[in-house]
Amino acid sequence: MQKVKEYNISAANVSLENIIKNSHQPVVFKGLVSDWQSVKEARKSNECLNKYLTQLSSKPSNRIEAYEATEESNGRYFFGNSFDEFNFNKVAYSFTDFLQKIQYISQQNSNKTSIYAGGKQLSKHLDNFARDNALSYDFGRPVEPRVWLGNSSVISTHFDTTDNIACLVSGKRTFTLFPTEQVKNLYPAPFNHTIAGAAVSMVDICNPDFEQHPLYQEALDNAFVAELEPGDAIYIPLLWWHNVRSEGDLCMLVNYFWTADTRKLESPMNFLYHGLYTLSHLSPEEILSWKALIDHFVFKTNGEPMTHLPTNNQGIFGEITAEHAYDIRDLVLREMGFDLEFVKKGKYSTPSSAST
């Protein structure tokens, strides 16, 4: 495994935005949020951070959903004995009760339950957190910070469809990251059957079974690893698989999911799903033919495909603006037989002519 490249922004000659914009791999920023008040409190003690968060929590009626797993799980949140089961229970607390539960578990000498709440919108639970804990980064749009809070845990290898900057407040976090193309060696579960919404690998990163998953060794050979201390941050590009191991009695991370391309109107995952039932079962010869068309018109491997026509005559292959994109979506839905009232009738709703 390779170590993720690290930057010290205070000593770097380029901005955070430029580093991320020009990087196509994960990057660690040492001490990026060391001036956050939450990080300062965490460095004093877990009790100080707990007290600080409790003071910010002024919305007791907003319950936080969390997962609890027994000591036997070793903090790994995963499927149970079958795909229809999980090895954890879903629970809900007020935010202050959740903090007290974490503290209570830390005081136990045995039977230490793992507890974890992930991806929760900060604004629903902590007032004015951003006042003293703001990330200086231009996302190009409003981005809601999210909190990941609990004790020691292992989050299964997964990927997200957005870019991500994750800032560590307390505890220690180890990220093991795999390039997207390593999907062939990661043994993913079906994308429609997940633990918490994201597609996951079936491999136990802490105890891999190389007899059952022999290709996983190649994934490890191409992996990157990053160890974060409080105040550090990591940038994870969209679609990079990553496993996250947290260590500590009170582990807190704040992250920012965002899409760098503001033109992205819907998840490209829908394209993958659509291809499963329209293309994947075709003969190899047909697949190659469709691949040539998709490469040319969608991925534009040969350049802009319609430069031989005036802009106003390029039809569905014209520039993808918001209005044009929804016109195409309307066409797709109607071609699939969904003549729904809530779907606006776009410019391509009525075919102008039939093809033979």
Side-chain angles (χ1 to χ4, degrees):
M1 284 191 283
Q2 305 175 58
K3 187 176 180 180
V4 173
K5 187 172 183 178
E6 296 181 351
Y7 283 91
N8 185 328
I9 288 297
S10 61
N13 295 322
V14 291
S15 68
L16 180 65
E17 286 82 359
N18 283 338
I19 293 174
I20 288 177
K21 181 180 179 181
N22 295 314
S23 176
H24 305 290
Q25 294 185 346
V27 179
V28 168
F29 301 101
K30 300 298 292 183
L32 182 67
V33 295
S34 292
D35 62 340
W36 280 13
Q37 188 60 40
S38 57
V39 174
K40 294 177 181 178
E41 297 298 330
R43 285 176 170 166
K44 296 176 186 175
S45 68
N46 288 340
E47 290 73 20
C48 288
L49 176 60
N50 193 313
K51 181 178 179 181
Y52 174 72
L53 297 176
T54 300
Q55 291 172 342
L56 292 180
S57 176
S58 61
K59 299 178 180 178
S61 61
N62 289 349
R63 298 175 70 77
I64 187 168
E65 295 182 353
Y67 299 155
E68 287 185 4
T70 62
E71 189 173 25
E72 289 72 24
S73 70
N74 293 316
R76 183 192 184 212
Y77 291 86
F78 200 61
F79 299 109
N81 295 324
S82 72
F83 259 9
D84 298 324
E85 301 175 352
F86 298 106
N87 70 343
F88 56 87
N89 296 316
K90 295 182 180 181
V91 294
Y93 298 93
S94 70
F95 193 82
T96 51
D97 285 347
F98 183 58
L99 290 172
Q100 290 175 7
K101 177 70 173 182
I102 296 172
Q103 186 175 35
Y104 171 78
I105 294 172
S106 71
Q107 296 168 346
Q108 306 306 301
N109 294 323
S110 61
N111 192 27
K112 285 200 172 185
T113 300
S114 176
I115 189 167
Y116 161 78
K120 307 306 178 183
Q121 292 185 358
L122 265 173
S123 61
K124 291 186 176 181
H125 303 287
L126 297 176
D127 278 345
N128 301 317
F129 181 85
R131 182 183 58 195
D132 298 315
N133 304 274
L135 179 65
S136 179
Y137 187 86
D138 181 12
F139 292 104
R141 67 182 76 181
V143 173
E144 172 78 37
R146 296 176 177 272
V147 64
W148 308 73
L149 188 63
N151 54 19
S152 296
S153 63
V154 180
I155 306 307
S156 296
T157 304
H158 66 283
F159 70 84
D160 302 304
T161 57
T162 57
D163 291 310
N164 180 11
I165 297 178
C167 307
L168 188 60
V169 173
S170 66
K172 177 183 177 181
R173 262 180 168 81
T174 301
F175 289 78
T176 306
L177 307 106
F178 305 88
T180 310
E181 59 268 22
Q182 288 302 313
V183 60
K184 63 183 182 291
N185 299 317
L186 289 172
Y187 302 89
F191 285 12
N192 65 311
H193 192 70
T194 69
I195 297 170
V200 299
S201 166
M202 295 296 295
V203 182
D204 182 354
I205 196 171
C206 298
N207 187 29
D209 184 341
F210 290 107
E211 290 188 6
Q212 186 174 6
H213 306 123
L215 298 178
Y216 184 63
Q217 184 60 60
E218 184 177 344
L220 286 177
D221 292 342
N222 289 276
F224 292 76
V225 65
E227 294 186 352
L228 268 61
E229 300 290 342
D232 295 342
I234 185 171
Y235 163 65
I236 305 174
L238 76 170
L239 302 184
W240 271 66
W241 294 83
H242 50 285
N243 176 279
V244 188
R245 185 170 74 250
S246 304
E247 300 173 65
D249 289 333
L250 178 56
C251 301
M252 179 177 177
L253 179 141
V254 174
N255 88 306
Y256 304 79
F257 286 126
W258 91 103
T259 302
D261 189 342
T262 58
R263 297 171 299 174
K264 188 180 288 185
L265 303 169
E266 292 184 9
S267 173
M269 189 67 75
N270 295 331
F271 176 78
L272 186 152
Y273 293 154
H274 194 264
L276 285 174
Y277 73 88
T278 58
L279 297 172
S280 63
H281 61 284
L282 303 180
S283 69
E285 293 77 16
E286 270 192 279
I287 287 175
L288 282 176
S289 296
W290 279 109
K291 182 178 183 299
L293 290 175
I294 292 169
D295 283 346
H296 183 71
F297 288 109
V298 178
F299 298 122
K300 302 181 180 181
T301 55
N302 303 310
E304 288 294 333
M306 303 300 285
T307 55
H308 56 284
L309 291 175
T311 301
N312 60 347
N313 289 335
Q314 292 179 1
I316 61 172
F317 298 113
E319 181 185 358
I320 300 297
T321 62
E323 182 179 4
H324 184 55
Y326 287 120
D327 282 339
I328 296 175
R329 184 183 69 169
D330 173 80
L331 171 66
V332 171
L333 288 172
R334 294 185 188 284
E335 287 290 323
M336 292 172 65
F338 298 108
D339 191 8
L340 305 173
E341 288 297 323
F342 69 84
V343 178
K344 77 180 185 70
K345 291 177 169 47
K347 63 190 293 185
Y348 306 115
S349 295
T350 305
S352 58
S353 63
S355 299
T356 58

